[in-house]
Amino acid sequence: MDVNTIAWLILLLPLASAAVILLGTKKSAGISALISTGSVIATLVLSFLLLAQPDTAAAKPLQWLSLGDFEVTIGLKLDSLAQGMMIIVTGIGTLVHVFSLGYMHDDAGKARFFAGLSQFMFSMTGIVLADNFAMMFIFWELVGVSSYILIGHWYDKDSAADAAKKAFLVNRIGDFGFMIGILLVWVLTGSIYFDEIAKAIGGVQNANLLNAAVLLVFCGAVGKSAQLPLHVWLPDAMEGPTPVSALIHAATMVAAGVYMLARVSFLVGAAEMAADTIAIIGGATALLAALMATQQNDIKRVLAYSTLSQLGYMIMAQGLHDGSDAGMFHLYTHAWFKALLFLGSGAVIFACHHEQDIWKMGGLRQKMPITFWTFLIGTAALIAVPGTSGFWSKEAILEAAWHDHNYLVWGLGIAVAFLTPFYMTRLFVVAFLGKPRTKDADHAHEVSPIMWVPLAILAVMAVISAYITGPLEAKGHVAFHMSLTAILSLAGLVVGVLAGWKLYAGCDRDPVNIKLFANKFYLDELYLGIVRLFQDFVGMTFDAVDRYLIEPITVRLPALAAMSSGYVLRLLQVGNLQAYGFLFGLGAVVLIWLIVF
């Protein structure tokens, strides 16, 4: 099979799957699930075939738009960056599909759910393989639509419907800036194709405009990868089914922003001020999200804020000189162990009859041994225990910050290296150890193989993925030396785990109560207040204009004039012949007088 056929099949198979389900097999949930799962398995096999191709391989583009000399094609970029990302997307996608066969077995909207998964796979594949900004933006928006559909899968639940709308609207803010940034890049370089932009970027003379263009493009990543200040949609998106959380909000969709910045790393590297801003926003997001995670009680929300924090690491790396590779390395390892943790939380929720509060769990170590050990491995990778994949990729980012002499960002990263072990130890101790705190936890049992087999595979990848760096051009060599960064990082690991254990072992309620962290720094309330202030002000203004200006002049005045005229004319219609004769004579006299005088 030639590379052109492989590439186009990878892109189009998920679209065909979604179309077949929606148009043909929607009434048969079982068949729909198998079609969607079969398509993603096929794309995984094809992705491995694509991986065997040289990174200079190319697929034949299709012309999409032609306006004079301006042409846009649907072209597929098949370099090593795209090849490696496709392994992540299709690999995680396959395991999520298999897990969903068990998790969504009795769901009333099962066929619709799997159609949404296929649509998402199509959209995400388009982003990964795009060779120009126009194509990337189209699929970028399709990912937003897919996210809206999947987050709001249980649309009859108000919280899920609101979360879907919130995700969609917040992302549109970032995407608006992204669109303007693409247009500005086109103005500065004369092209929207990545290879051509890379060649032309050296000739751009206006540094201010270039920095502005990069920051506007970065707005897309701020929305999609949930960075400050547009991070507020991601935790609420946990209202969707847990497999959706694993696929979209841990491994792939939120990583799209990081991947996009890596794809245009030549742009970021050419704009120093913009690069510094990107690094600082990433570091600030990593720290604030980690602080928020320390006081969350919903198992999925703890992992959601952990995702925000780890995405902050990746974004931070994209703003560092020579840090893009380290950021992609962390994206690669994080995809496996965070998908493991989300699917593990899904297994826990499923076994505890859809209970998500960690303080209503406990004792799950004996009840769910396979989930316990796989979750422990995922936790070890997330908190960067030496030897796990997360350790190597996190150290690569911190070392990149140190060598870049960006000590502010480096300090933020070190602080997060302490907080992550703390809040994950809290989650693990409260949920899995001790005694069951509720009947649901006491009656929990291990999930079926269709759910725990993906956990086992992901657990293996959480350990070994850092050593399999071929798909991503060996992003950061796997090596270790005892530097200041390593010493502080390991100290943060030990102190964080010990603090979490000391505070939470044997506790039935949280001994720490920091409302600022629990309420997410009140940023949601601040945004809601701002929206209401401006929305109410605009509404009151238009109401006053309508009530006291438009309605009296355009509605009431004409009506009053018509009514008054009718009243006067009514006096002339009295039904008396003598009166009519008198009025006729009077009118004739007036007419003669006007003619004569």
Side-chain angles (χ1 to χ4, degrees):
M1 190 181 298
D2 65 287
V3 67
N4 187 70
T5 304
I6 294 173
W8 285 105
L9 281 176
I10 290 174
L11 178 64
L12 297 178
L13 268 178
L15 177 62
S17 169
V20 169
I21 292 171
L22 293 175
L23 300 177
T25 65
K26 190 175 181 179
K27 293 183 179 180
S28 178
I31 294 176
S32 298
L34 292 177
I35 290 173
S36 180
T37 305
S39 73
V40 73
I41 292 173
T43 56
L44 175 60
V45 173
L46 291 168
S47 295
F48 277 110
L49 293 177
L50 182 64
L51 188 63
Q53 304 294 326
D55 62 3
T56 55
K60 185 179 179 180
L62 298 177
Q63 187 174 19
W64 176 64
L65 179 65
S66 179
L67 296 173
D69 295 332
F70 181 73
E71 293 186 354
V72 178
T73 61
I74 299 178
L76 307 183
K77 194 169 181 63
L78 307 178
D79 61 359
S80 58
L81 184 63
Q83 292 170 351
M85 191 67 182
M86 280 311 307
I87 296 296
I88 295 172
V89 172
T90 57
I92 300 294
T94 296
L95 295 174
V96 167
H97 274 72
V98 173
F99 184 90
S100 298
L101 292 175
Y103 192 89
M104 304 295 289
H105 183 267
D106 298 321
D107 191 86
K110 183 177 177 180
R112 175 167 49 85
F113 174 80
F114 277 94
L117 287 184
S118 290
Q119 180 182 332
F120 171 80
M121 294 298 295
F122 167 67
S123 307
M124 192 65 203
T125 300
I127 291 178
V128 173
L129 298 181
D131 71 344
N132 64 81
F133 265 129
M135 178 181 170
M136 177 176 280
F137 187 78
I138 292 170
F139 283 97
W140 195 270
E141 295 304 298
L142 285 174
V143 164
V145 174
S146 304
S147 175
Y148 174 80
I149 292 171
L150 290 170
I151 295 170
H153 175 72
W154 292 319
Y155 57 84
D156 54 342
K157 188 169 66 171
D158 289 341
S159 58
D162 291 342
K165 288 185 288 186
K166 186 175 184 179
F168 189 82
L169 293 174
V170 171
N171 271 276
R172 297 295 73 72
I173 297 172
D175 293 353
F176 182 71
F178 187 24
M179 179 179 65
I180 297 175
I182 292 172
L183 293 173
L184 191 52
V185 169
W186 175 58
V187 170
L188 291 173
T189 64
S191 179
I192 58 171
Y193 292 87
F194 300 135
D195 291 340
E196 295 178 3
I197 295 171
K199 294 176 182 177
I201 197 67
V204 176
Q205 301 297 321
N206 194 322
N208 292 330
L209 278 180
L210 180 59
N211 278 295
V214 173
L215 288 176
L216 286 167
V217 168
F218 174 58
C219 285
V222 171
K224 205 63 95 208
S225 292
Q227 298 296 287
L228 287 170
L230 301 182
H231 67 287
V232 292
W233 69 269
L234 182 61
D236 288 6
M238 299 303 109
E239 291 292 337
T242 301
V244 171
S245 303
L247 178 64
I248 298 182
H249 307 112
T252 51
M253 173 184 164
V254 291
V258 181
Y259 175 81
M260 182 267 288
L261 290 177
R263 173 60 72 199
V264 297
S265 58
F266 49 85
L267 268 177
V268 178
E272 185 174 351
M273 185 275 287
D276 291 341
T277 303
I278 291 171
I280 291 172
I281 289 177
T285 302
L287 178 60
L288 291 182
L291 291 172
M292 296 175 195
T294 61
Q295 289 288 281
Q296 302 303 311
N297 297 325
D298 185 314
I299 187 171
K300 286 174 66 177
R301 284 185 178 264
V302 175
L303 297 178
Y305 283 106
S306 170
T307 298
L308 284 176
S309 185
Q310 298 302 306
L311 287 168
Y313 263 144
M314 301 174 209
I315 293 291
M316 179 177 78
Q318 297 302 322
L320 300 172
H321 294 99
D322 300 323
S324 181
D325 285 352
M328 282 302 297
F329 185 32
H330 196 53
L331 183 154
Y332 170 61
T333 60
H334 174 266
W336 305 104
F337 62 72
K338 186 53 66 68
L340 167 60
L341 290 171
F342 264 110
L343 292 184
S345 72
V348 168
I349 294 167
F350 187 85
C352 293
H353 302 90
H354 298 282
E355 179 59 64
Q356 297 185 200
D357 189 339
I358 59 175
W359 293 103
K360 295 180 180 179
M361 298 176 185
L364 297 180
R365 176 183 178 181
Q366 291 79 21
K367 306 290 183 180
M368 307 176 68
I370 298 176
T371 301
F372 167 80
W373 286 109
T374 55
F375 202 95
L376 177 61
I377 292 171
T379 300
L382 175 58
I383 67 178
V385 171
T388 62
S389 60
F391 171 76
W392 301 112
S393 55
K394 185 210 70 175
E395 287 301 308
I397 292 176
L398 294 178
E399 287 291 348
W402 177 262
H403 291 302
D404 193 42
H405 304 293
N406 197 329
Y407 301 119
L408 170 61
V409 170
W410 176 81
L412 293 173
I414 291 294
V416 174
F418 159 74
L419 290 169
T420 305
F422 174 75
Y423 67 71
M424 285 305 298
T425 301
R426 170 183 180 265
L427 184 156
F428 190 81
V429 168
V430 173
F432 286 93
L433 304 183
K435 297 180 179 180
R437 300 183 185 87
T438 62
K439 290 183 178 180
D440 288 335
D442 192 36
H443 295 158
H445 56 82
E446 189 59 84
V447 293
S448 62
I450 197 70
M451 296 174 70
W452 66 251
V453 168
L455 297 182
I457 296 172
L458 287 168
V460 173
M461 291 301 295
V463 176
I464 71 171
S465 60
Y467 305 93
I468 312 173
T469 54
L472 289 170
E473 284 189 287
K475 304 297 180 186
H477 61 282
V478 180
F480 178 75
H481 58 281
M482 192 58 70
S483 62
L484 176 63
T485 298
I487 293 172
L488 292 177
S489 180
L490 292 174
L493 170 66
V494 173
V495 172
V497 170
L498 290 178
W501 180 270
K502 181 69 175 178
L503 280 172
Y504 292 99
C507 290
D508 290 328
R509 61 180 181 178
D510 200 330
V512 180
N513 184 18
I514 305 176
K515 292 185 177 180
L516 183 64
F517 299 166
N519 290 290
K520 301 157 287 188
F521 290 90
Y522 297 98
L523 290 174
D524 287 87
E525 290 77 6
L526 174 63
Y527 292 163
L528 184 60
I530 292 173
V531 169
R532 285 178 175 174
L533 173 64
F534 287 99
Q535 179 176 287
D536 291 349
F537 176 75
V538 172
M540 290 172 60
T541 301
F542 278 102
D543 179 69
V545 170
D546 179 67
R547 189 185 301 272
Y548 301 111
L549 187 62
I550 295 177
E551 184 177 348
I553 294 176
T554 64
V555 179
R556 292 184 181 178
L557 183 60
L560 181 62
M563 184 177 66
S564 301
S565 301
Y567 182 80
V568 172
L569 294 173
R570 187 179 63 182
L571 298 176
L572 302 180
Q573 303 294 323
V574 296
N576 190 310
L577 292 178
Q578 291 179 334
Y580 290 160
F582 172 76
L583 291 173
F584 180 79
L586 179 61
V589 171
V590 172
L591 181 60
I592 293 171
W593 184 83
L594 289 174
I595 294 173
V596 174
F597 296 101

